[in-house]
C-alpha cells in the first residue's frame, strides 16, 4: 500500500505473479481500510493493479486504473520529485497501454516526455526506447534511443538494429566513435539452468553487441569512412576471439560456465551475425571503390532479407551500375522483410513501479560520497593508498581503478528506488571524470542489482522484501568526440540540483 512492495512473494515460477498482484490489489480496494485522505496509497494500489492488468492483456482495464491513479495523486501534481518519479511511472504505463490498443502516436509522445524527465534512469530509457522500436517510426526526438546506448552498454546495438532508413545509417556513422565491443560475461550454471538449458536467450544477449558493432561498420562503409569501418570489423573480430571459453569471467560462486557452451555461443554468433555482416561491409567498400564484380560475388548464393542495410546496399549497387560501371552482374533479389506485428511490451510494466520520491526520502548524496579530505590524509599515513580505492563500506560509493585503465564505480543504496541509485552512480562517475580533468566518460560495463531480505520456512524461501539496490559501472575517462560518451558536465548539471544538498 505504500508503493514499496513492488515484488511478488517467492513462488515456483512467476507466471501467476500478475494474477496474484491483481487479487491482492482488489482485496485492498474492497477492504474499506484505505482512508479518504490516503490518496497516495490509493494511487499506488491503482498503479500496481494497472501494471498487473497490462501483463494479463487487459489494456483497457489498465487505462481505467491509471486514470484513477492519476486522479488520486492529483494533489501532488506539479511537485518536482513527484513529477520525476510517480508521474513518470504513470506516463510510461499509460504509453504501454496505449501502444497495446494501437494508439501509437499518443504512446510515443508520452514516452518522449517521460524519457526527457529521467534521461539517466535505466528502466525509463529502456521502455521509451522499446516503444520507439515497436512503433516503427521516427520520434520527434531520436536522441531517446541514443541516451539509452550511452548509459547501457548491453543495448548499445539496438539503435543500429532498428535503423529504418538511410538517414539513420548516416546518423549511426556520425556517432560511431572509437571501436569498442564488449561481450557479455561467461554465463554461470545458474543462468543456463534458469532457462532450462535453452541457450536462445543467451544467444540473443551475445549477438546484440556484435550486430550493433557490425551495423556501425556498415554505416561507416556506406558513408565514405573505409578505415573506420575496417577498424570496427577488426574490433568485433577481436572481441569474439577473446570471448572464448578461457576469455571470460567466472560464473556465480566460482563455477565457470561449461567451455562447450561458451564455444557454441561464440561460434553461433560468429556464423550467424558477424560473418554475414562482415561480408556486406567488404562488399559495400568494393562498391565505393568501383569493384562491382567483387561486391556481387560477396552476395553470391546468399538469400538476404530486406533490411535497411541490404536495401541501402542494393540502392548503392544500382546507382553504381547506372553510372556506367563495367562488368556488374545482377544481384540476387531480396527476400521480403520479416513481418512484425505491434510488439507486446506489456511485460515491462512491473519494471515501471518507481517508488515516489520526495525531498525527505532522497538519500543524502554528500554523506554517501567518500570523505575526500580524510582519504587524502589517510593516504599520507598509509604510504600512498590510492584515493579512488576509498574506504571499504557496505553502503555508499566505492571507486576502484582497473589494470586496463578503466574505473569501476559502484553505489550500494539502502533504498527501494532503483533510479535514485542509478543516477547517483552516474553522478559520481561524472565527478571522477572532472576530478581527473576529463570532459567525458564512456560506460563500458554495467551491472544493476536488487537486494532482498528473504524469509524461509524449513529452508524453503517463502517471501522476500526489497531492501535496496546496487549499481556498478565500469567507465573510461575520455576527451570530447567519442561515440556513446557521456558529457560529465551535462550529467552534473542535470543531477547535481537533485542530489547536492548545497
Amino acid at each position: 500500500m505504500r508503493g514499496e512492495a513492488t515484488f511478488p512473494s517467492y513462488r515456483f515460477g512467476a507466471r501467476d505473479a500478475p494474477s496474484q498482484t491483481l487479487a491482492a490489489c482488489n482485496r485492498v480496494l474492497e477492504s474499506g481500510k484505505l482512508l479518504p485522505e490516503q490518496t497516495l496509497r490509493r494511487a499506488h494500489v491503482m498503479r500496481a493493479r494497472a501494471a498487473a492488468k497490462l501483463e494479463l492483456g487487459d489494456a483497457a482495464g489498465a487505462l481505467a486504473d491509471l486514470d484513477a491513479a492519476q486522479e488520486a495523486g492529483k494533489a501532488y501534481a506539479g511537485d518536482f520529485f513527484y513529477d520525476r518519479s510517480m508521474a513518470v511511472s504513470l506516463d510510461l504505463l499509460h504509453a504501454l497501454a496505449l501502444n497495446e490498443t494501437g494508439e501509437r502516436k499518443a504512446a510515443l509522445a508520452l514516452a518522449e516526455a517521460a524519457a526527457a524527465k529521467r534521461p539517466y534512469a535505466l528502466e525509463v530509457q529502456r521502455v521509451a526506447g522499446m516503444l520507439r522500436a515497436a512503433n516503427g517510426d521516427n520520434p520527434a526526438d531520436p536522441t531517446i534511443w541514443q541516451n539509452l546506448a550511452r548509459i547501457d552498454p548491453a543495448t548499445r546495438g539496438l539503435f543500429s538494429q532498428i535503423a529504418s532508413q538511410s538517414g539513420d545509417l548516416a546518423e549511426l556513422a556520425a556517432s560511431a566513435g572509437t571501436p569498442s565491443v564488449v561481450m557479455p560475461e561467461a554465463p554461470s550454471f545458474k543462468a543456463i539452468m534458469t532457462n532450462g538449458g535453452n541457450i536462445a536467450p543467451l544467444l540473443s544477449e551475445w549477438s546484440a553487441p556484435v550486430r550493433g558493432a557490425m551495423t556501425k561498420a556498415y554505416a561507416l562503409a556506406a558513408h565514405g569512412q573505409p578505415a573506420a569501418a575496417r577498424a570496427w570489423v577488426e574490433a568485433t573480430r577481436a572481441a569474439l576471439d577473446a570471448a572464448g571459453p578461457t576469455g571470460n569471467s567466472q560464473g556465480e560462486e566460482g563455477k565457470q560456465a561449461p567451455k562447450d557452451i561458451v564455444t557454441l555461443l561464440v561460434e553461433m554468433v560468429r556464423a550467424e551475425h558477424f560473418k554475414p555482416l562482415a561480408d556486406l561491409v567488404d562488399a559495400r567498400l568494393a562498391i565505393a571503390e568501383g569493384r562491382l564484380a567483387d561486391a556481387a560475388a560477396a552476395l553470391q548464393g546468399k538469400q538476404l532479407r530486406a533490411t535497411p542495410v541490404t536495401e541501402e546496399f542494393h540502392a548503392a549497387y544500382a546507382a553504381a551500375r547506372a553510372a556506367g560501371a563495367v562488368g556488374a552482374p545482377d544481384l540476387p533479389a531480396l527476400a521480403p522483410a520479416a513481418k512484425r506485428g505491434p510488439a507486446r511490451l506489456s511485460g515491462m510494466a512491473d519494471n515501471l513501479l518507481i517508488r515516489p520520491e520526495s525531498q525527505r526520502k532522497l538519500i543524502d548524496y554528500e554523506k554517501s560520497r567518500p570523505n575526500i579530505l580524510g582519504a587524502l590524509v589517510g593516504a599520507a599515513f598509509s604510504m600512498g593508498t590510492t584515493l579512488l580505492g576509498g574506504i571499504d563500506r557496505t553502503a555508499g560509493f566505492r571507486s576502484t581503478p582497473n589494470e586496463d585503465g578503466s574505473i569501476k564505480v559502484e553505489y550500494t543504496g539502502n533504498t527501494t528506488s532503483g533510479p535514485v541509485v542509478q543516477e547517483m552512480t552516474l553522478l559520481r562517475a561524472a565527478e571522477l571524470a572532472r576530478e581527473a580533468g576529463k570532459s567525458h566518460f564512456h560506460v563500458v560495463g554495467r551491472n544493476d542489482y536488487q537486494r532482498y531480505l528473504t524469509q524461509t520456512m524449513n529452508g524453503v524461501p517463502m517471501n522476500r522484501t526489497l531492501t535496496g539496490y546496487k549499481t556498478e559501472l565500469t567507465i573510461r575517462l575520455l576527451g570530447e568526440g567519442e561515440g556513446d560518451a557521456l558529457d560529465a558536465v551535462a550529467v552534473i548539471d542535470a543531477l547535481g540540483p537533485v542530489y547536492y544538498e548545497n
Side-chain angles (χ1 to χ4, degrees), residues 32 36 42 147 178 216 227 239 255 310 375 382 439 441 453 489 501-502:
R42 183 173 297 277
N147 284 342
T178 303
K216 285 183 180 180
K255 297 179 180 179
T310 57
S382 60
S439 61
F441 63 97
L453 175 65
V489 172
E501 197 169 23
N502 299 315

Side-chain angles (χ1 to χ4, degrees), residues 225-293:
Q225 300 183 58
R230 291 188 176 99
W232 272 97
V233 172
E234 291 309 311
T236 309
R237 192 192 313 276
L240 281 169
D241 290 342
T246 60
N248 269 300
S249 66
Q250 297 286 314
E252 291 184 8
E253 300 178 1
K255 297 179 180 179
Q256 192 172 25
K259 292 184 178 181
D260 55 344
I261 293 292
V262 177
T263 301
L264 179 61
L265 283 170
V266 170
E267 292 310 312
M268 289 178 72
V269 171
R270 198 190 307 274
E272 296 178 17
H273 302 285
F274 174 74
K275 183 64 166 60
L277 282 168
D279 289 344
L280 270 174
V281 171
D282 287 341
R284 188 60 181 83
L285 292 173
I287 293 176
E289 296 166 0
R291 298 182 287 108
L292 268 63

Side-chain angles (χ1 to χ4, degrees), residues 194-423:
T194 296
N195 297 304
N198 178 16
I199 68 168
L202 294 173
L203 180 61
S204 177
E205 180 186 359
W206 279 56
S207 63
V210 172
R211 293 197 307 270
M214 292 304 295
T215 308
K216 285 183 180 180
Y218 182 88
L220 290 162
H223 289 86
Q225 300 183 58
R230 291 188 176 99
W232 272 97
V233 172
E234 291 309 311
T236 309
R237 192 192 313 276
L240 281 169
D241 290 342
T246 60
N248 269 300
S249 66
Q250 297 286 314
E252 291 184 8
E253 300 178 1
K255 297 179 180 179
Q256 192 172 25
K259 292 184 178 181
D260 55 344
I261 293 292
V262 177
T263 301
L264 179 61
L265 283 170
V266 170
E267 292 310 312
M268 289 178 72
V269 171
R270 198 190 307 274
E272 296 178 17
H273 302 285
F274 174 74
K275 183 64 166 60
L277 282 168
D279 289 344
L280 270 174
V281 171
D282 287 341
R284 188 60 181 83
L285 292 173
I287 293 176
E289 296 166 0
R291 298 182 287 108
L292 268 63
D294 291 341
L299 272 64
Q300 203 64 35
K302 297 178 181 178
Q303 180 65 70
L304 300 178
R305 282 191 177 276
T307 68
V309 166
T310 57
E311 288 175 348
E312 195 283 337
F313 181 88
H314 272 244
Y317 189 89
R321 287 183 73 181
V326 179
D330 293 334
L331 293 179
L334 293 173
K339 292 184 179 180
R340 292 191 305 170
R344 291 295 306 274
L345 303 178
S346 55
M348 306 178 75
D350 68 342
N351 295 323
L352 293 174
L353 301 179
I354 302 171
R355 180 190 182 188
E357 297 171 11
S358 66
Q359 181 67 58
R360 67 182 179 82
K361 285 186 178 181
L362 282 187
I363 302 168
D364 190 332
Y365 179 86
E366 294 180 341
K367 289 181 181 177
S368 297
R369 288 171 58 189
N371 183 339
I372 302 298
L373 180 60
L376 285 170
V377 173
F381 287 99
S382 60
M383 304 302 290
T385 300
T386 65
L387 178 60
L388 284 177
I391 303 169
D392 286 337
R393 54 176 70 220
T394 57
F397 292 101
R398 182 172 176 81
S399 304
T400 308
N402 297 320
E403 292 182 359
D404 62 358
S406 63
I407 301 171
K408 184 171 80 170
V409 187
E410 57 187 284
Y411 178 72
T412 302
N414 295 322
T415 172
T416 50
S417 177
V420 166
V421 172
Q422 295 161 11
E423 289 174 340

